[in-house]
Amino acid sequence: KFSINGTSFTSSSNTITSDISRIKGVTLDLKDVSNGEIVTITIEKNSEKVTDAMEDIVNAYNELIANVDKEIASTGNLNDQSTLKIIRNQLRSLMTSSGYGNSTFKNLDAVGIALDAASANDVSTANINKLHFDRDKFIEAYNKDSDALKSFLVGTEDSMGVLTRVENLIESS
């Protein structure tokens, strides 16, 4: 038996899942009896952990594109592999497209992930294949609406998110 914010609950085990506690995404593992003593548990979203994971994804994407570009170049080992070129272009399109149907976030740029832009000092096109990750903008998007960000990146029952589309493309390839 336990209570959360004055509401009493009963469970057959010490592992309390969200279907019992109604705290979305949280599982409590009760270790000891408190005999009426109040125990305070604070649950906070960890934007840094999510942001680090997204930065890792962006870095992995950049490394993948750089490696594929090297191999499909005219001097690369896989320069005659048109299927690989098509997959690379589809992947790039998924990561830079707009209009995924999410009312809050329409593209990755809205959450801090965008192609490096040419500047007055560097007008080469070499940077148009590399994504830039803006941590502050991503954290701002996360803090604004983490549920909308999750549905944009991962998806919902009704639609696939950007990263799920990328995963499907890679798995089917």
Side-chain angles (χ1 to χ4, degrees):
K1 294 181 178 184
F2 63 99
S3 67
I4 298 174
N5 293 335
T7 302
S8 295
F9 297 90
T10 302
S11 175
S12 60
S13 92
N14 286 354
T15 301
I16 312 302
T17 58
S18 61
D19 59 323
I20 296 171
S21 70
R22 306 293 185 247
I23 304 172
K24 182 179 168 186
V26 173
T27 298
L28 301 171
D29 190 11
L30 306 177
K31 299 284 188 185
D32 202 358
V33 176
S34 67
N35 292 326
E37 174 187 336
I38 295 175
V39 176
T40 302
I41 300 172
T42 304
I43 300 170
E44 297 175 338
K45 294 180 180 181
N46 188 340
S47 64
E48 284 298 318
K49 191 170 186 173
V50 172
T51 304
D52 289 345
M54 194 67 234
E55 187 170 29
D56 289 347
I57 290 169
V58 170
N59 290 338
Y61 167 85
N62 287 336
E63 184 178 345
L64 173 67
I65 293 298
N67 288 336
V68 169
D69 284 351
K70 177 182 168 192
E71 295 301 323
I72 63 175
S74 61
T75 58
N77 294 325
L78 302 172
N79 70 335
D80 60 344
Q81 297 297 313
S82 59
T83 302
L84 183 57
K85 293 174 186 178
I86 291 169
I87 294 167
R88 178 235 182 256
N89 290 340
Q90 289 174 332
L91 178 60
R92 184 178 183 278
S93 177
L94 285 172
M95 295 297 283
T96 59
S97 295
S98 295
Y100 284 102
N102 185 308
S103 61
T104 306
F105 307 111
K106 299 279 186 218
N107 56 38
L108 287 170
D109 186 41
V111 299
I113 302 165
L115 289 172
D116 276 347
S119 67
N121 296 331
D122 181 9
V123 293
S124 89
T125 58
N127 59 348
I128 65 168
N129 292 323
K130 184 177 180 186
L131 292 177
H132 171 74
F133 185 68
D134 183 334
R135 287 183 69 82
D136 294 334
K137 192 171 180 181
F138 186 84
I139 290 172
E140 181 182 322
Y142 181 85
N143 290 334
K144 177 181 178 183
D145 193 341
S146 61
D147 288 335
L149 181 62
K150 179 183 176 186
S151 70
F152 171 68
L153 294 173
V154 179
T156 64
E157 288 181 20
D158 301 326
S159 65
M160 287 191 289
V162 176
L163 299 179
T164 303
R165 291 172 194 243
V166 167
E167 179 182 36
N168 287 345
L169 170 66
I170 291 170
E171 285 182 0
S172 67
S173 299

